[in-house]
Amino acid sequence: LIREATRAFGLPCIEMEGYEADDLIATYADHAVAQGADVTIVSSDKDLMQLIRDGIRMLDPIKNRPIGPAEVVEKFGVEPDKVIDVQALCGDSTDNVPGVPGIGVKTAAELIKTYGSIEKLLDCLNEIKQPKRRESLTTNAELARISKQLVTLKHDVPVEHTLADFVRRDIDTDKLYPFLKTNEFRTTLTRIQQKLGEGGGVAPEPAARTAKKPATDAPVVRVIKNQAPVGPAQPHSREGYALVTEEAALIRVIADAVHARKIGFDTETDSPQVADARLVGISISTAPGNGVYIPVGHTGAEGDLLGGGSAAPKQIPLQRALELLKPLLEDPSVLKVGHSIKFDVSIMAKHGIRLAPIDDTMLISYVLEGALHAHNMDELATLHLGIQTLKYSDVTGTGKSQITFDKVPLDKARDYAAEDADVTLRLHANLKPRLVTDRMLTIYETMERPLISVVAEMELAGIKVDLKELQRLSADFAGRCGELERDIYKAAGTEFNIGSPKQLGDILFEKLKLGDGGRKGKTGAYATGADILEELAVNSGHPLPRKVLDWRQLSKLKSTYTDALQQQISPNTGRVHTSYALAATSTGRLSSNDPNLQNIPIRTEEGRKIRHAFIAEPGNKLISVDYSQ
């Protein structure tokens, strides 16, 4: 898309097969200096710093500051003409430059300042006093020489265009306007039309605007960092969304995706639980405003359904669709962007597909703005794009009438699912660059994004539980609750609903007259919280408050844990599969839900018994780990 945009605006688009951009820049910089020009390389790339000399400087576009010899010395410890020697010694893993193990930038700079070059250094290794350093340089001498070749830019690329080809040209609106319309750059299109007119060419500068006349080129929605957009979210066009139910169409979508190199991606399933979820459909977007939905598991629904009646609609068979999509979804040159993509990674893994490489707009937003707002797609679409998205309930309904996604009519499923992929791609374009400007790129790249696949594997693996132990504990807790109920009724002198705070309060403070008469809340009922009962148990000497506390504890353990966990064991795996939220806490911690396995009681003997129901496979062990915060 960058290539298309460059040509649409009438700018030179220079690339050569077999050569990197840095080599082209080095060659053209030499040509320009030879013709008497002052050259500014707009980049902060350290690899280009070797080019700095009289007539050539750099400009960091992010910090908007010049980079000259002084800045190079600050970064590398040597003048620009020695940069390649320092880089060759210390290496660069991101560019596959091996360097010499154990030699960092500081040490490399000291060595090059002493010996002048790698070649002279390698001729004088017997002078190196540090044994380990001398040994590493001796063993890796050839790697150092190869590394220098790798980092040295080419100054003799046989370029096809001369500097004269780079002159500024008038804009050709016949090329530019269709490009802007196709990619929905509406504001930019309006601004340029106002400036150039429909006829094209460079228009004269407009007369100065009067103070009373507002600028007409301001966007409709302005997004200010950490603030909601001005004005309400607006519905947006879904005319660019398509349904893919034929193999030929899917093959074209895959080809477009490979060409695009970055796609919005989402999956639809019939359950939010990964372990039991069945894949229903996949959506892909390759550019803003477009999106396709590929149904693979719709089973039909009553009413108006594309495909006819309540029978399963026409769609590509699941296994065939995945067979065609697998190379794309695993292609290392195509970035898959999702929103909460951990779920999609897990779903694809169930089908033998390793979804990679990935980006997650939910996590990017979380890294940038933390607890300032929620990070669900609907809110971010409003906040950053100013658009109103379809909600899940809009297509599935709510309450008793809610249906699973495999029953959603295909036209509704298309609009909802394709929109998810489209909006995700738009959010990525909006948010990803801010990781650099907000200095949060390292946090995202080294901590948050790598965690996605790790946690996805944890969720998919699940945790083994001993069903018989849970059943035994439930029965034990039920029996002991029954005994406590009889003791409570005896102490109260009557039967009542122990779980009712109002009835319990009446017994404690009106019938038994315990404490100082109790205190009532806004509803008129007495407060019967744990602190009140603890105080009564200590001060009144009456057995009822302590019995009620014990009953509450056992009832909660039974209902919340031993009974609930039995229901949450997957029939497919025999294990419990919790979901770890990556972007839910203000502290950066993970949170566990469905079920919450982070709040299993430990402070009481009964609570600790529940932990014994979590077990390891034969030959394995569970370990408990704590670490300094």
Side-chain angles (χ1 to χ4, degrees), residues 607-618:
R608 289 192 290 272
K609 287 179 181 178
I610 296 174
R611 296 198 167 205
H612 292 297
F614 293 89
I615 57 176
E617 294 285 0

Side-chain angles (χ1 to χ4, degrees), residues 401-530:
S401 61
Q402 185 175 27
I403 58 175
T404 50
F405 204 84
D406 57 314
K407 300 293 195 300
V408 174
L410 290 192
D411 52 349
K412 291 184 178 180
R414 172 200 61 211
D415 287 351
Y416 173 81
E419 181 181 74
D420 274 2
D422 173 26
V423 169
T424 296
L425 201 59
R426 298 192 203 195
L427 286 172
H428 189 263
N430 183 293
L431 296 173
K432 185 69 182 282
R434 282 184 49 198
L435 290 174
V436 176
T437 58
D438 289 21
R439 298 178 178 272
M440 297 300 288
L441 185 64
T442 299
I443 295 292
Y444 173 71
E445 295 283 359
T446 64
M447 295 175 65
E448 295 291 352
R449 182 165 66 174
L451 199 61
I452 296 172
S453 57
V454 175
V455 174
E457 285 188 39
M458 290 166 56
E459 293 178 354
L460 207 54
I463 300 170
K464 191 175 181 65
V465 291
D466 187 337
L467 176 60
K468 290 183 178 178
E469 177 64 9
L470 288 176
Q471 292 171 337
R472 188 192 69 77
L473 285 171
S474 282
D476 177 51
F477 291 158
R480 291 168 62 188
C481 280
E483 293 176 7
L484 284 168
E485 286 174 7
R486 289 190 289 273
D487 291 345
I488 289 169
Y489 296 153
K490 183 177 179 181
T494 184
E495 291 190 9
F496 64 99
N497 182 356
I498 305 170
S500 166
K502 184 179 187 309
Q503 292 186 34
L504 176 62
D506 291 343
I507 293 291
L508 291 172
F509 300 113
E510 294 188 3
K511 184 174 188 297
L512 300 179
K513 308 292 185 184
L514 299 182
D516 57 3
R519 59 179 183 271
K520 292 185 177 182
K522 293 180 180 179
T523 63
Y526 290 102
T528 59

Side-chain angles (χ1 to χ4, degrees), residues 238-244 283-293 414 417-419 421-422:
R238 300 183 179 90
E239 293 178 0
Y241 299 161
L243 202 60
V244 174
S283 54
I284 291 173
S285 173
T286 57
N290 82 22
V292 300
Y293 180 57
R414 172 200 61 211
E419 181 181 74
D422 173 26

Side-chain angles (χ1 to χ4, degrees), residues 211-532:
K212 293 181 180 179
K213 184 178 179 182
T216 57
D217 56 359
V220 174
V221 176
R222 292 177 182 268
V223 177
I224 303 171
K225 182 182 173 184
N226 298 344
Q227 293 186 14
V230 178
Q234 301 294 324
H236 67 106
S237 171
R238 300 183 179 90
E239 293 178 0
Y241 299 161
L243 202 60
V244 174
T245 58
E246 300 280 356
E247 280 193 26
L250 179 55
I251 291 170
R252 287 194 296 272
V253 168
I254 293 170
D256 289 343
V258 171
H259 179 73
R261 296 299 178 197
K262 182 177 81 172
I263 62 172
F265 180 80
D266 192 33
T267 59
E268 301 300 340
T269 63
D270 61 357
S271 169
Q273 302 297 326
V274 170
D276 303 320
R278 190 175 58 84
L279 184 60
V280 172
I282 292 170
S283 54
I284 291 173
S285 173
T286 57
N290 82 22
V292 300
Y293 180 57
I294 309 153
V296 293
H298 281 258
T299 57
E302 296 297 332
D304 183 20
L305 178 68
L306 294 183
S310 60
K314 180 180 179 181
Q315 54 198 325
I316 302 171
L318 172 64
Q319 292 307 318
R320 178 56 179 159
L322 293 177
E323 181 183 339
L324 292 171
L325 286 164
K326 182 179 172 72
L328 167 67
L329 300 183
E330 295 184 340
D331 188 337
S333 70
V334 180
L335 179 65
K336 275 67 72 172
V337 183
H339 194 83
S340 188
I341 202 170
K342 172 169 63 70
F343 183 84
D344 310 298
V345 167
S346 298
I347 294 298
M348 290 294 101
K350 287 176 61 177
H351 292 281
I353 295 175
R354 182 179 178 272
L355 188 67
I358 57 173
D359 255 349
D360 190 330
T361 47
M362 179 186 72
L363 278 187
I364 294 173
S365 174
Y366 180 60
V367 167
L368 290 171
E369 298 182 341
L372 290 173
H373 53 75
H375 302 282
N376 60 75
M377 180 182 291
D378 296 334
E379 181 154 345
L380 295 185
T382 300
L383 181 65
H384 296 295
L385 306 177
I387 62 176
Q388 183 178 308
T389 56
L390 285 171
K391 310 297 185 288
Y392 189 74
S393 58
D394 292 338
V395 296
T396 62
T398 58
K400 293 181 179 180
S401 61
Q402 185 175 27
I403 58 175
T404 50
F405 204 84
D406 57 314
K407 300 293 195 300
V408 174
L410 290 192
D411 52 349
K412 291 184 178 180
R414 172 200 61 211
D415 287 351
Y416 173 81
E419 181 181 74
D420 274 2
D422 173 26
V423 169
T424 296
L425 201 59
R426 298 192 203 195
L427 286 172
H428 189 263
N430 183 293
L431 296 173
K432 185 69 182 282
R434 282 184 49 198
L435 290 174
V436 176
T437 58
D438 289 21
R439 298 178 178 272
M440 297 300 288
L441 185 64
T442 299
I443 295 292
Y444 173 71
E445 295 283 359
T446 64
M447 295 175 65
E448 295 291 352
R449 182 165 66 174
L451 199 61
I452 296 172
S453 57
V454 175
V455 174
E457 285 188 39
M458 290 166 56
E459 293 178 354
L460 207 54
I463 300 170
K464 191 175 181 65
V465 291
D466 187 337
L467 176 60
K468 290 183 178 178
E469 177 64 9
L470 288 176
Q471 292 171 337
R472 188 192 69 77
L473 285 171
S474 282
D476 177 51
F477 291 158
R480 291 168 62 188
C481 280
E483 293 176 7
L484 284 168
E485 286 174 7
R486 289 190 289 273
D487 291 345
I488 289 169
Y489 296 153
K490 183 177 179 181
T494 184
E495 291 190 9
F496 64 99
N497 182 356
I498 305 170
S500 166
K502 184 179 187 309
Q503 292 186 34
L504 176 62
D506 291 343
I507 293 291
L508 291 172
F509 300 113
E510 294 188 3
K511 184 174 188 297
L512 300 179
K513 308 292 185 184
L514 299 182
D516 57 3
R519 59 179 183 271
K520 292 185 177 182
K522 293 180 180 179
T523 63
Y526 290 102
T528 59
D531 55 338
I532 302 292

Side-chain angles (χ1 to χ4, degrees), residues 79 87 91-92 104 116 151 154 163 176 214 379 385-386 437 441 443 450 484 489 557 591:
E79 297 290 332
Q87 284 186 298
D92 189 341
V151 300
K154 298 181 185 298
L163 292 175
L176 179 59
E379 181 154 345
L385 306 177
T437 58
L441 185 64
I443 295 292
L484 284 168
Y489 296 153
L557 291 176
S591 67

